[in-house]
Amino acid sequence: TFANLVSRFGNVSFRFSDQHGEMMSLSTYSKYITNPEGLSDDSPLGIYDSEFGDDLPTNVLLQEYSVPSCFSPDLFDLMDDSPNF
């Protein structure tokens, strides 16, 4: 659950803008998405961390994650590696 995620990784900071490098702890993000401002924001913040999995806390999360079966396989895996030009 999200509450379990926050209890385990609330102090870990995530990048929510790769362009500007702003960081926010998961605990702070949790407060943002559950308050009226976050619920009604017409341009809500999201976690977009291109370095996710590069450090220990996020690497733990990456190792625990598995793609849900309801999603199809990665279609890029079906392509050959040769360029088409």
Side-chain angles (χ1 to χ4, degrees), residues 8-9 16 20 25 38 45 51 64-65 68 70 77 79:
R8 292 178 61 205
F9 300 97
F16 65 91
H20 303 289
S25 73
L45 298 174
E51 296 177 10
E64 292 179 5
Y65 179 77
C70 62
D77 287 342
M79 297 180 62

Side-chain angles (χ1 to χ4, degrees), residues 11-36:
N11 64 330
V12 177
S13 290
F14 292 87
R15 189 170 280 102
F16 65 91
S17 169
D18 278 339
Q19 290 181 331
H20 303 289
E22 289 93 349
M23 304 286 284
M24 181 186 301
S25 73
L26 187 60
S27 179
T28 300
Y29 183 73
S30 173
K31 292 173 188 170
Y32 163 73
I33 64 171
T34 57
N35 77 37

Side-chain angles (χ1 to χ4, degrees), residues 52 58-73:
F52 184 85
T58 58
N59 188 272
V60 169
L61 281 171
L62 193 59
Q63 297 304 316
E64 292 179 5
Y65 179 77
S66 61
V67 177
S69 61
C70 62
F71 292 103
S72 64

Side-chain angles (χ1 to χ4, degrees), residues 38-64:
L39 292 171
S40 62
D41 194 341
D42 63 353
S43 183
L45 298 174
I47 296 174
Y48 306 100
D49 196 340
S50 63
E51 296 177 10
F52 184 85
D54 289 350
D55 60 357
L56 184 59
T58 58
N59 188 272
V60 169
L61 281 171
L62 193 59
Q63 297 304 316
E64 292 179 5

